[in-house]
Amino acid sequence: MARNAELAELAESIFADSWDVAAAGLDRAAWKACDEAGLTTLTAPDTGGSLDDAAVLLEAAGAWAARVPLAETDLLAGWLARAAGLDVPDGPLAVVVTGPTGDPRPAGTPGGTVTGDGATVTADLVRVPWGRALSAVVVLDGGRVLVLDAGAATVTEGANLAEEPRDGLRLDAVTPLATGAAPPGAAQELVLRAALARALLLAGAARGALARSIAYAGERNQFGRAIGRFQAVQQMLAEAGSEVAAASAASAAATATAQREGFAAPAAAFAVAAAKARCSEAAGAVARIAHQVHGAIGFTREHALRLTTTRLWAWRDEDGDEAFWNDRVGAAALDAGADGLWPLVTGRP
């Protein structure tokens, strides 16, 4: 617990120092600070970090709308490269899955095509997170893993609702930086890892939006007193608080299960599905209430609230929306049957 508290304090200090309402794109100062503190490779085997540590970091990043691809670099690209026996490149990274995966993937996730015999390849990749700022892209293409130099790509810039880069990358007849064999079940694990990371970011962003709403309700006066003293506003904030608590609990439970059981375990798949569904559901409610409390001022581009609420709206759909993951929850419950449902939900026999 002490380690998590120290990690949270470190992360909050880095992200608070780089807070900038008007900025967009990669926050290079925050990335450098995270890299120097070892936060960009937190779950690598030689660091002593864990999935629980990553959860603390990602919640803080979500609360401060940090413009750094920590989940993409460490939990996704770094993991896949290491699992394929490859060296992890320095700098910001992202993962793209192309080719057959065996299971349906959430709509709107990074994808594309890769052609070539491996000595040279041509890649056309779409919706690559932070594409324009990456040092490399780790591509899962069927049974192989390719590390491609993102600096050699032609970039078609795009963005999600929160103005985070979601770019197209085109690489023509390039030699991969490294090539390896994909580990079994890599595509399915990447889907779960991405969903858990996004759930943690959502839980953090919801917490950040609530904190700013509570502060504003204590500062804004109407009819001779702070609006936070009106029962209607208190009730809205209490509702938002319950949504934040539910999102935090669901994402924490999924993190603990995945850390204990591994992502390949059915219990982990169920917990991650429930967490992403619940956090996506909470995102809409918290964003709505936050803007109701702030009134029209909260919708302006100059106001800090939009940094968290636009992320809540964007992230609730990325890596699978609540409908996608609720389908997974329902399918798992049906597969478990009457005798297996209680152990599935509780993790106990």
Side-chain angles (χ1 to χ4, degrees):
M1 184 63 70
R3 174 182 167 84
N4 282 354
E6 292 173 0
L7 179 59
E9 184 178 356
L10 173 61
E12 298 265 351
S13 66
I14 291 173
F15 301 143
D17 286 346
S18 63
W19 179 261
D20 187 346
V21 174
L26 178 68
D27 186 339
R28 296 193 180 277
W31 175 265
K32 181 180 179 182
C34 288
D35 192 34
E36 291 175 348
L39 303 183
T40 60
T41 56
L42 196 55
T43 63
D46 58 349
T47 65
S50 66
L51 195 59
D52 187 50
D53 295 327
V56 173
L57 176 64
L58 292 178
E59 278 215 31
W64 286 97
R67 294 176 289 108
V68 283
L70 295 170
E72 292 85 352
T73 298
D74 185 24
L75 288 182
L76 302 179
W79 170 80
L80 180 60
R82 289 190 295 270
L86 307 176
D87 291 334
V88 179
D90 294 331
L93 308 172
V95 155
V96 174
V97 178
T98 63
T101 62
D103 286 330
R105 302 185 71 236
T109 55
T113 59
V114 175
T115 57
D117 58 6
T120 61
V121 298
T122 293
D124 195 0
L125 311 177
V126 297
R127 284 193 60 80
V128 181
W130 306 93
R132 72 199 73 166
L134 300 178
S135 62
V137 183
V138 182
V139 180
L140 175 63
D141 184 53
R144 62 181 179 173
V145 175
L146 309 172
V147 180
L148 304 179
D149 180 5
T154 300
V155 179
T156 302
E157 293 190 356
N160 64 10
L161 186 62
E163 299 180 357
E164 295 178 307
R166 299 292 185 264
D167 298 331
L169 300 182
R170 170 78 183 184
L171 297 101
D172 291 304
V174 298
T175 301
L177 299 175
T179 305
Q188 291 74 26
E189 179 156 345
L190 283 172
V191 169
L192 293 175
R193 282 175 168 268
L196 177 58
R198 196 65 61 188
L200 291 163
L201 287 165
L202 280 166
R207 173 167 62 86
L210 175 61
R212 290 173 180 83
S213 299
I214 291 172
Y216 181 77
E219 298 166 356
R220 171 65 171 167
N221 289 321
Q222 191 72 32
F223 304 113
R225 56 178 173 169
I227 62 171
R229 296 181 61 187
F230 289 94
Q231 185 175 1
V233 176
Q234 292 173 353
Q235 183 173 347
M236 287 192 295
L237 291 173
E239 180 185 348
S242 68
E243 293 290 338
V244 170
S248 180
S251 57
T255 300
T257 304
Q259 182 165 278
R260 183 179 64 250
E261 305 285 344
F263 281 95
F270 181 80
V272 170
K276 183 55 169 73
R278 189 63 187 88
C279 289
S280 289
E281 182 181 346
V286 172
R288 170 179 55 81
I289 291 169
H291 280 291
Q292 286 177 330
V293 171
H294 279 79
I297 188 174
F299 283 97
T300 61
R301 183 172 184 78
E302 295 78 10
H303 201 283
L305 180 65
R306 72 168 179 87
L307 297 179
T308 48
T309 55
T310 55
R311 281 164 173 78
L312 287 171
W313 288 321
W315 291 346
R316 67 179 177 182
D317 292 334
E318 291 186 338
D319 300 305
D321 59 15
E322 56 260 52
F324 178 90
W325 289 109
N326 275 326
D327 282 348
R328 293 284 186 98
V329 170
L334 290 173
D335 288 343
D339 294 334
L341 181 59
W342 180 252
L344 179 68
V345 172
T346 65
R348 299 186 180 93

